[in-house]
Amino acid sequence: MKASLVTPVVLAGGKGTRLWPLSRTALPKQFCKLNEAQSLFQQTVDRLCRDPMFTDPIILTSASHLDLVSLQLKEIKQQAKQIICEPEGRDTAPAVALSAIAGKIKGQELLLVLPSDHKILDNKGFLDAARKAAGISLELNKIVTFGVKPSEAATEYGYLEAGEKIADGLGNTLTRFIEKPNKKKAEALLSQSNIYWNAGIFMFPPKLMCRELETHMPVMFKAVNRSLAACDLNRKVITPDPQVFTAIDPISIDYAVMEKTDCAALVPVDPQWSDLGSWSAVWTISEKDEDGNVLVGDTLVAETQGSLVSSDGPFVGVSGVSDLIVVANRDAVLVTSRENCQSVKTLISEMSENYTELTKSHVSETRPWGTFTSVNRGESHQVKSIVVNPGGQLSLQYHFHRAEHWIVVSGTATVTVDDEVSQLTPCQQIFIPQGAVHRLENLTDEPVQLIEVQYGSYLGEDDIVRLSDVYDRASLQEEPELKEAV
């Protein structure tokens, strides 16, 4: 197989609420580092970019996660062919349509669409299956889905039924999709040799996918086309028209195409795969002590078995229990049983009314220029500790609803406020009136740390208008209103 035949399309827009409090809207599961050096997103990209079969990937993500995508690609010294920023997630069918239309226009031979929040332990097994899928897809003009050999009677996955062998036994026809079953049905399915888990991974020629989308979902396909009409597809970062794209009804690619098409095929794969859809799944794949416990961070257990205890904030001690999940952040703690940890999704739903901020963001967040931590917050004020990396700079910006007061703690900060530029050293401070155009830069080779005090009627991270930005985030703003985070 020739090199660079396949363009990966990495889906990185999910919310991952079932791994709360680690995973939140601003830092969803795919960007979390689950006690590893790389996030799941980084592992996915790295797995593909190191194989000559693949080009640089296309990344589909939300506009609010562009910073994270750019930063995490930089950390692993990889780059994207293109980043498509969905104005709002509309499930996998519109996402696949975006990539297929762009791929068809740009003459790409094959696309491999895959989630970025799955764990794959056997990279070689996955890549071998990808080569088989590429051959079947290209030679037989098929949309190939990857079927994972089930290891248990899981009820959280959909299932696939394989038909007769094709391509000299490298794959199968795809007979049917099976919805997530109850336990009894899952146990019955497990006894069949032609049943697989649905991993949500697809290989296809862009022209074929466009044809099938236009045939089976003409209204949706036409809307996605319209959303791309004004985009320059040669740009590195593109954003479909928000008004058109957000009006599309959400639908999965399984419902939209795969259950209807007669061009589907299946390639079996056993790459030691997990979608990490629960804390129990994280416990399953993690290294355990002699009592079956997974311990992360500043934690200690006594007379405890089969539990996951994790903390990136306070010390956590657990004693005299079994089969628990305990996850502590600086601002929230989760306690649930391993057996019923899927109920976290219900918990998040119930938190949406009175504890919304705890589902959205952490007290600390990462930006291309550094990090910030919320230290204290009230109705009309917020105090942050901000660190700007050497060479980092915030965008030239202004706020509609807040004024700010900066006090430098360490380093030398170069500060622009309207037409005045000044350098501030430790213990020096500056006031930034509401609406003033301002920027903070670190032109030195040492970090700059400062305390920021915000005052105003609205303190959300989206109260900003970027006038210019070295990280290309200003280009994502269509009009001067509340848009991106600092």
Side-chain angles (χ1 to χ4, degrees):
M1 181 175 294
K2 65 181 181 180
S4 301
L5 171 70
V6 181
T7 300
V9 178
V10 179
L11 305 179
K15 296 180 179 179
T17 55
R18 287 174 292 181
L19 292 190
W20 184 87
L22 180 63
S23 174
R24 306 192 191 187
T25 304
L27 185 72
K29 178 178 67 170
Q30 61 269 25
F31 301 116
C32 294
K33 297 178 180 180
L34 297 168
N35 198 32
E36 295 183 288
Q38 292 184 347
S39 69
L40 295 170
F41 169 77
Q42 290 173 316
Q43 292 174 39
T44 301
V45 172
D46 218 31
R47 180 182 305 117
L48 302 168
C49 287
R50 296 188 183 280
D51 191 283
M53 175 173 55
F54 299 105
T55 69
D56 289 336
I58 296 171
I59 311 295
L60 267 82
T61 191
S62 67
S64 61
H65 294 145
L66 177 60
D67 287 357
L68 274 170
V69 167
S70 302
L71 180 65
Q72 293 205 351
L73 286 173
K74 184 178 179 180
E75 285 179 352
I76 60 173
K77 297 180 173 58
Q78 300 292 358
Q79 61 182 355
K81 179 189 290 287
Q82 191 168 60
I83 301 175
I84 302 176
C85 294
E86 295 179 287
E88 185 175 317
R90 311 312 288 159
D91 214 326
T92 53
V96 169
L98 286 171
S99 62
I101 292 167
K104 179 181 177 182
I105 292 172
K106 301 188 81 170
Q108 290 155 355
E109 290 184 84
L110 287 175
L111 300 182
L112 172 67
V113 175
L114 72 169
S116 61
D117 60 351
H118 293 180
K119 182 70 176 179
I120 291 176
L121 297 176
D122 181 4
N123 286 345
K124 182 180 182 302
F126 174 80
L127 294 172
D128 287 346
R131 287 183 174 82
K132 294 176 184 177
I136 293 171
S137 186
L138 199 60
E139 294 172 19
L140 302 181
N141 200 33
K142 295 289 187 181
I143 302 171
V144 180
T145 185
F146 288 47
V148 175
K149 194 63 182 174
S151 58
E152 59 178 319
T155 58
E156 62 266 32
Y157 306 137
Y159 286 70
L160 306 169
E161 183 180 84
E164 62 185 21
K165 297 282 187 181
I166 58 172
D168 296 324
L170 296 180
N172 300 78
T173 59
L174 180 57
T175 304
R176 65 176 175 134
F177 284 76
I178 302 168
E179 293 293 329
K180 295 177 182 179
N182 58 33
K183 192 67 174 179
K184 184 177 180 180
K185 186 174 181 180
E187 290 171 349
L189 289 170
L190 197 63
S191 67
Q192 298 177 227
S193 61
N194 65 334
I195 293 294
Y196 299 87
W197 284 335
N198 182 4
I201 302 173
F202 306 93
M203 180 92 73
F204 53 83
K207 290 182 181 179
L208 173 61
M209 180 57 78
C210 285
R211 187 192 76 190
E212 294 301 291
L213 283 163
E214 189 170 21
T215 298
H216 301 294
M217 294 294 296
V219 174
M220 184 271 286
F221 185 69
K222 184 177 180 180
V224 175
N225 261 303
R226 281 205 318 276
S227 76
L228 287 172
C231 294
D232 179 359
L233 294 183
N234 292 315
R235 291 196 61 174
K236 185 68 173 285
V237 178
I238 64 171
T239 303
D241 182 283
Q243 187 173 359
V244 175
F245 193 80
T246 56
I248 297 171
D249 291 332
I251 185 171
S252 73
I253 192 64
D254 291 344
Y255 287 136
V257 171
M258 298 305 294
E259 293 185 1
K260 302 171 183 176
T261 182
D262 57 3
C263 300
L266 179 147
V267 165
V269 60
D270 186 13
Q272 300 178 54
W273 168 92
S274 172
D275 76 341
L276 293 184
S278 68
W279 281 112
S280 179
V282 175
W283 175 86
T284 298
I285 68 161
S286 299
E287 186 175 346
K288 303 170 185 65
D289 65 15
E290 62 273 15
D291 292 315
N293 297 311
V294 176
L295 305 178
V296 181
D298 197 5
T299 61
L300 183 66
V301 298
E303 299 180 19
T304 294
Q305 298 82 35
S307 297
L308 183 152
V309 183
S310 173
S311 177
D312 65 2
F315 168 81
V316 175
V318 175
S319 66
V321 297
S322 298
D323 304 324
L324 280 187
I325 302 293
V326 181
V327 182
N329 286 170
R330 294 183 184 182
D331 59 346
V333 178
L334 169 72
V335 180
T336 185
S337 68
R338 263 183 40 218
E339 183 180 0
N340 296 313
C341 61
Q342 291 286 351
S343 63
V344 172
K345 193 170 183 179
T346 303
L347 177 68
I348 297 302
S349 178
E350 294 183 2
M351 290 173 62
S352 61
E353 184 174 348
N354 296 317
Y355 301 94
T356 305
E357 287 302 317
L358 288 175
T359 69
K360 288 183 177 180
S361 60
H362 291 268
V363 292
S364 296
E365 294 189 31
T366 300
R367 294 290 182 262
W369 43 260
T371 60
F372 70 80
T373 300
S374 180
V375 178
N376 182 268
R377 182 166 184 155
E379 287 188 8
S380 59
H381 80 276
Q382 182 171 205
V383 181
K384 290 182 178 179
S385 173
I386 295 176
V387 176
V388 183
N389 296 329
Q393 61 175 268
L394 280 66
S395 58
L396 187 66
Q397 59 184 248
Y398 64 90
H399 307 294
F400 286 109
H401 300 290
R402 71 176 186 249
E404 295 174 339
H405 194 143
W406 289 346
I407 306 168
V408 175
V409 176
S410 63
T412 300
T414 300
V415 178
T416 299
V417 179
D418 289 330
D419 296 327
E420 295 187 15
V421 179
S422 56
Q423 287 191 328
L424 303 182
T425 55
C427 292
Q428 293 184 319
Q429 55 192 292
I430 194 167
F431 177 69
I432 303 163
Q434 179 179 324
V437 174
H438 61 282
R439 165 181 276 160
L440 188 150
E441 301 173 85
N442 181 359
L443 304 180
T444 75
D445 57 4
E446 297 291 334
V448 169
Q449 182 178 3
L450 65 145
I451 299 299
E452 175 182 271
V453 182
Q454 301 176 354
Y455 313 85
S457 60
Y458 178 73
L459 304 172
E461 285 302 308
D462 52 357
D463 179 13
I464 183 174
V465 176
R466 289 194 177 96
L467 302 177
S468 66
D469 179 48
V470 296
Y471 308 108
D472 199 30
R473 296 170 297 172
S475 64
L476 294 180
Q477 295 185 191
E478 287 76 28
E479 55 187 63
E481 61 180 18
L482 300 188
K483 289 290 179 186
E484 297 297 313
V486 173

